[in-house]
Amino acid sequence: MALKSFIEVHPSSHFPIQNLPYGVFKPEPGSVARPGVAIGDYVLDLSAIAAAGLFNGPILNNSGCFHEPNLNKLLALGRPAWKEARATLQKLLSSTEPSLRDNESLRQKSLIPLSKVEMVLPIAIGNYTDFFSSLHHAKNCGTIFRGPQNPIPPNWFHLPIAYHGRASSIVISGTDITRPRGQGPPAGNSPPPFGPSVKLDFELEMAAIVGPGNELGKPVDVNEAADHIFGLVLMNDWSARDIQAWEYVPLGPFLGKSFGTTISPWIVTLEALEPFSCEAPKQDPHPLPYLAEKISKNYDISLEVQIKPAGQDDSHVVTKSNFNNLYWTLTQQLAHHTINGCNLRPGDLLGTGTISGPEPESYGCLLELTWNGQKQLSLNGTPRKFLEDGDEVIISGVSKGNGYNIGFGTCSGKIVPSSP
Amino acid sequence: MALKSFIEVHPSSHFPIQNLPYGVFKPEPGSVARPGVAIGDYVLDLSAIAAAGLFNGPILNNSGCFHEPNLNKLLALGRPAWKEARATLQKLLSSTEPSLRDNESLRQKSLIPLSKVEMVLPIAIGNYTDFFSSLHHAKNCGTIFRGPQNPIPPNWFHLPIAYHGRASSIVISGTDITRPRGQGPPAGNSPPPFGPSVKLDFELEMAAIVGPGNELGKPVDVNEAADHIFGLVLMNDWSARDIQAWEYVPLGPFLGKSFGTTISPWIVTLEALEPFSCEAPKQDPHPLPYLAEKISKNYDISLEVQIKPAGQDDSHVVTKSNFNNLYWTLTQQLAHHTINGCNLRPGDLLGTGTISGPEPESYGCLLELTWNGQKQLSLNGTPRKFLEDGDEVIISGVSKGNGYNIGFGTCSGKIVPSSP
């Protein structure tokens, strides 16, 4: 019989007892941020649970990691601690366990309606890396930016290409994004045009949160890489295509990306996603030994992007994709990242890159969906080539199980005009 | 008459009372790291000076910033605090001021021979950005990697090109660098070769340390950008040219750089460098308004790189360059970085990119000096195309004044073999 909580959870909820994603929240404005897990329409305050002595396993007892304003300390403890926390919390929240269920005072203190709390960034992000792991995205972008002859660079099939992103401008879902200003590609011999970006885009991504890191000079084996990943979030890697197109040769994307990156507040653990793991695509050519893994896993996570234009009541689905469209796995990404000795640290963020599927309806950004503005989308009659001021972009992700969902909630952000 | 310290400073010293560069040190292994300034052959322990109540100006009195294990708190306070600290310290160390000079117990406590201390990273680096601001370097690299037709991309003269680097692998001078492993460019249809890099290189750079940052969405005006820069360090942006050449299209350098970046321990302030400021090169085409500054400054800083092969007693000069070879100024770099709204934070590091001069003897890396291994250097008879295991690379930098130097000391690192 399926595990069930004493807290009522609607079957359509993203947050049943099988999920228990981690976030950091303030119960009210101005209060101290603390870790929590989502359960149904509530967040369970883990600092209250720790203070009540209910994290009584050998690793987490007195670890102090639930009295922190971020999850980095829990991340650093590694998989044994994460398993212990999950076992403790699933027991505590189950319908058959009285210790929290029958303790009204502790319930009052520790279970807070999600609608009342403010979510904040769950981790202190030291470094943010963004990969480029969807073949369809790579092919479409290559075709648009460099033409249809050999759109995919020859290195793409041999290594998970990535670049360093900007960590300081990563914000939590719900934060407004200011339209960036910058230079675009010049026409002929004119100087480059300067002003607010006219090709502002979203990118549908997910990102892995790094747990224990590795020492500088000591690569992580691809078959052990999963133990370095705590979980996943949804991510919107906002992109200004005009700025990006002009600046990115030869050193890669910079200001076209660094004005803001939004992540969802809830980190869904790899443990919770395990029932939705599936075989990763066959790789041809066979990867080099350091990237050849014994078990090559993807996850079946349905992804969707909606846009809600300013002044409209409804949002409109613009694409549907799936995490399993990735060619390179999370573990290959992580192993590749460290093969040169680069050190990862708890809380580092590894973006997957835009997750596009093969069909035009599954492309992960407007650049692809409107083919760089050559076509337009209709949002129930409102045309869109790129994002307009006031547009809100809402990403959601969910794995649908037998009678329950493992969901990520949403990752949203609204475009506000450039500052004068 | 020139300012003089009661501490004897040899005329060839990099650290007279006119300099007073900031670093963070441990008086002995295992002790707590604390800020200091270099003076002659000594470091002045600023935590001891603060504890003695000698930072008695209105900003720094009780600021707590000298009881930190890094300089970030001082950086955040901004130029008024930096001016106050400099005035306090120049007075305290001057030959005419008795408060430290005649207090033997405080002198014993606060002045420690440089030879006895361990220097550590002076700042917690949130984000590291590397620019590409030497025209000669851009031209040489473009010619080597992409051929002699149009070696400089058309955007180069319109904006200071940059990419995000890896912050976690930045290490302090003296740290060994493990030769990275990775994929290199394949020959014909063979799979890419994998193993320890066979084209390991140094890059002669300097880097600006960001002081007060800016809020997300609020660019910094180019004419106010200098107030956001605390000072400069020497930097060696170690590069694996084979890994870089294969991976960098289309998203820029990644594993070819992220295995290690070395900075010098002493941050020389812009105040100390002011007597060595000079006019920046005339820019043609004229930059866009957001990059057009009222005063466009470079600094006359002589730079030199030496290599000391394993088992040899002597190091050999391989290049001599100057900071004033940069085309884009530090302030233009910083203003460009924020024009899209990207937020900088205290302690962020902005590398200049390799500082090559026009003459072959002034090229800033082996890629240029040996033209990608087509020529070889002679280190007093020992040939070199790229770095060998055991090679120590030593960068030094100094501005020579009338009777005194404003110096950076050295920035060094030794190559150790790849881990098996």
Side-chain angles (χ1 to χ4, degrees):
Chain A
M1 186 184 148
L3 190 61
K4 208 171 159 333
S5 176
F6 67 85
I7 295 167
E8 198 160 343
V9 177
H10 192 273
S12 71
S13 170
H14 279 199
F15 306 135
I17 193 170
Q18 289 81 3
N19 192 350
L20 303 183
Y22 287 82
V24 171
F25 72 103
K26 296 180 180 182
E28 42 203 65
S31 58
V32 175
R34 77 246 358 230
V37 293
I39 174 80
D41 295 329
Y42 291 86
V43 52
L44 179 68
D45 182 339
L46 300 185
S47 73
I49 296 302
L54 293 172
F55 281 109
N56 51 13
I59 308 174
L60 295 171
N61 189 17
N62 297 319
S63 74
C65 64
F66 299 116
H67 297 293
E68 296 277 321
N70 57 54
L71 294 166
N72 292 50
K73 202 166 170 182
L74 175 64
L75 299 180
L77 290 176
R79 189 158 312 282
W82 309 338
K83 278 184 185 294
E84 185 180 305
R86 182 170 172 82
T88 298
L89 292 169
Q90 283 196 328
K91 181 167 177 225
L92 200 62
L93 289 165
S94 80
S95 54
T96 54
E97 167 67 27
S99 52
L100 178 60
R101 185 191 68 195
D102 298 349
N103 183 339
E104 192 182 338
S105 134
L106 183 59
R107 278 203 331 267
Q108 289 287 347
K109 234 186 304 193
S110 66
L111 283 163
I112 303 148
L114 273 173
S115 59
K116 298 218 164 151
V117 306
E118 179 195 348
M119 301 303 299
V120 300
L121 275 184
I123 40 173
I125 301 168
N127 280 267
Y128 154 44
T129 303
D130 202 17
F131 284 84
F132 189 51
S133 289
S134 150
L135 175 59
H136 312 291
H137 177 65
K139 190 172 173 184
N140 290 332
C141 291
T143 305
I144 291 167
F145 281 136
R146 290 178 295 279
Q149 273 129 359
N150 305 315
I152 300 180
N155 54 8
W156 197 93
F157 288 99
H158 294 281
L159 54 86
I161 292 178
Y163 69 101
H164 305 291
R166 179 80 193 175
S168 69
S169 53
I170 297 173
V171 297
I172 193 74
S173 177
T175 308
D176 287 346
I177 296 294
T178 303
R179 181 180 296 273
R181 293 184 299 161
Q183 301 187 25
N189 286 324
S190 304
F194 175 82
S197 169
V198 296
K199 288 192 173 179
L200 190 52
D201 201 354
F202 65 82
E203 285 194 329
L204 167 60
E205 302 201 16
M206 296 191 76
I209 312 284
V210 174
N214 60 303
E215 224 179 294
L216 189 60
K218 309 279 187 204
V220 174
D221 186 283
V222 70
N223 293 307
E224 288 161 16
D227 284 343
H228 293 263
I229 300 173
F230 178 65
L232 295 177
V233 291
L234 302 171
M235 188 167 98
N236 185 342
D237 182 29
W238 305 94
S239 299
R241 300 305 183 184
D242 40 358
I243 297 173
Q244 183 185 355
W246 174 230
E247 74 176 355
Y248 90 106
V249 173
L251 299 185
F254 184 53
L255 300 186
K257 303 275 192 175
S258 64
F259 57 92
T261 306
T262 305
I263 62 171
S264 59
W266 297 108
I267 307 172
V268 177
T269 63
L270 289 198
E271 269 85 0
L273 288 168
E274 188 52 36
F276 304 93
S277 68
C278 55
E279 224 177 316
K282 196 177 142 38
Q283 296 178 329
D284 180 21
H286 197 68
L288 287 173
Y290 82 93
L291 291 173
E293 46 193 352
K294 286 176 193 149
I295 300 166
S296 205
K297 255 186 212 175
N298 252 349
Y299 295 93
D300 177 12
I301 306 169
S302 300
L303 300 167
E304 188 177 274
V305 181
Q306 304 196 17
I307 297 180
K308 183 170 173 294
Q312 293 194 18
D313 291 332
D314 296 322
S315 55
H316 309 280
V317 175
V318 294
T319 191
K320 289 184 183 220
S321 185
N322 193 301
F323 185 86
N324 68 18
N325 281 313
L326 294 178
Y327 181 89
W328 293 103
T329 65
L330 297 176
T331 37
Q332 288 177 319
Q333 291 172 9
L334 191 141
H336 180 66
H337 202 319
T338 66
I339 187 61
N340 69 340
C342 180
N343 54 336
L344 301 181
R345 287 175 177 164
D348 284 348
L349 195 73
L350 310 184
T352 57
T354 305
I355 305 173
S356 295
E359 310 85 10
E361 314 83 63
S362 64
Y363 292 171
C365 60
L366 292 172
L367 177 77
E368 294 170 80
L369 288 164
T370 72
W371 214 252
N372 200 15
Q374 291 179 39
K375 301 183 270 193
Q376 59 187 22
L377 294 184
S378 167
L379 309 178
N380 200 24
T382 308
R384 274 297 174 281
K385 291 181 170 181
F386 288 98
L387 296 171
E388 304 282 342
D389 290 345
D391 281 355
E392 186 180 357
V393 178
I394 305 142
I395 298 178
S396 60
V398 64
S399 295
K400 290 195 184 266
N402 192 356
Y404 71 96
N405 299 320
I406 298 292
F408 289 78
T410 59
C411 173
S412 70
K414 197 172 73 181
I415 304 300
V416 299
S418 295
S419 23
Chain B
M1 187 184 147
L3 188 63
K4 208 172 157 335
S5 175
F6 66 85
I7 295 166
E8 200 162 343
V9 178
H10 192 274
S12 70
S13 171
H14 280 198
F15 306 134
I17 192 170
Q18 289 82 1
N19 192 349
L20 302 183
Y22 288 81
V24 171
F25 71 102
K26 297 181 179 182
E28 43 202 64
S31 57
V32 175
R34 81 252 346 239
V37 292
I39 174 79
D41 296 329
Y42 292 85
V43 52
L44 179 68
D45 181 339
L46 300 185
S47 73
I49 297 300
L54 294 171
F55 281 109
N56 49 13
I59 307 173
L60 295 172
N61 189 16
N62 296 319
S63 73
C65 64
F66 300 117
H67 296 293
E68 296 276 321
N70 56 55
L71 294 165
N72 292 50
K73 204 166 170 180
L74 175 65
L75 299 180
L77 290 174
R79 189 159 310 283
W82 310 338
K83 279 183 186 294
E84 185 179 303
R86 182 170 173 84
T88 299
L89 292 170
Q90 284 196 328
K91 181 168 177 226
L92 200 63
L93 289 165
S94 81
S95 56
T96 54
E97 167 67 26
S99 54
L100 178 59
R101 185 192 67 194
D102 298 348
N103 183 339
E104 193 183 335
S105 135
L106 184 58
R107 281 207 325 272
Q108 290 286 347
K109 236 188 300 194
S110 66
L111 284 163
I112 304 147
L114 273 173
S115 58
K116 297 216 166 153
V117 306
E118 179 193 348
M119 301 305 297
V120 299
L121 275 184
I123 40 174
I125 301 167
N127 279 267
Y128 154 45
T129 303
D130 203 16
F131 284 84
F132 189 53
S133 289
S134 151
L135 176 59
H136 313 291
H137 176 64
K139 191 173 173 183
N140 290 332
C141 290
T143 306
I144 291 167
F145 281 136
R146 292 177 293 280
Q149 275 131 358
N150 305 313
I152 299 180
N155 53 8
W156 197 91
F157 289 97
H158 294 281
L159 53 86
I161 293 178
Y163 69 101
H164 304 291
R166 179 81 194 175
S168 69
S169 53
I170 297 173
V171 296
I172 192 74
S173 177
T175 307
D176 287 345
I177 297 293
T178 303
R179 180 180 296 273
R181 293 183 298 162
Q183 300 187 25
N189 285 324
S190 305
F194 175 82
S197 169
V198 295
K199 288 191 173 180
L200 190 53
D201 201 353
F202 65 82
E203 285 195 328
L204 167 59
E205 301 200 18
M206 296 192 74
I209 311 284
V210 174
N214 60 302
E215 224 180 293
L216 190 60
K218 309 280 186 203
V220 174
D221 187 282
V222 70
N223 293 307
E224 288 160 17
D227 284 343
H228 293 263
I229 300 173
F230 178 66
L232 295 177
V233 291
L234 302 171
M235 189 168 96
N236 184 341
D237 182 30
W238 305 94
S239 299
R241 301 304 183 184
D242 40 358
I243 297 173
Q244 184 185 355
W246 174 231
E247 74 177 353
Y248 91 106
V249 173
L251 299 185
F254 184 54
L255 300 187
K257 302 275 193 175
S258 63
F259 58 92
T261 306
T262 305
I263 62 171
S264 59
W266 297 108
I267 306 173
V268 177
T269 62
L270 288 198
E271 270 85 359
L273 287 167
E274 188 51 37
F276 304 94
S277 68
C278 56
E279 224 178 313
K282 196 178 142 37
Q283 296 178 330
D284 181 21
H286 197 68
L288 286 173
Y290 81 93
L291 291 173
E293 46 192 352
K294 287 175 191 149
I295 302 167
S296 206
K297 256 185 211 176
N298 252 347
Y299 297 93
D300 177 12
I301 306 168
S302 300
L303 300 167
E304 188 177 275
V305 182
Q306 304 196 18
I307 296 179
K308 183 170 174 293
Q312 292 194 19
D313 291 331
D314 296 324
S315 55
H316 310 280
V317 175
V318 294
T319 190
K320 290 182 184 222
S321 184
N322 194 301
F323 184 86
N324 68 18
N325 282 313
L326 294 179
Y327 181 89
W328 294 103
T329 65
L330 296 176
T331 38
Q332 288 177 320
Q333 291 171 10
L334 192 140
H336 180 67
H337 203 318
T338 67
I339 188 61
N340 68 341
C342 179
N343 54 337
L344 302 182
R345 289 176 176 164
D348 284 350
L349 196 74
L350 309 184
T352 57
T354 305
I355 305 173
S356 295
E359 310 85 11
E361 315 82 65
S362 64
Y363 292 171
C365 58
L366 291 173
L367 178 77
E368 294 170 79
L369 289 163
T370 72
W371 213 253
N372 200 15
Q374 290 178 39
K375 301 184 271 192
Q376 60 187 23
L377 294 183
S378 167
L379 310 178
N380 199 24
T382 307
R384 271 299 173 280
K385 292 181 169 179
F386 288 98
L387 296 171
E388 304 280 342
D389 289 344
D391 280 356
E392 186 179 358
V393 178
I394 305 143
I395 298 178
S396 59
V398 65
S399 295
K400 289 191 186 268
N402 192 356
Y404 71 95
N405 299 319
I406 299 291
F408 289 79
T410 60
C411 173
S412 71
K414 196 171 76 179
I415 304 301
V416 299
S418 293
S419 24

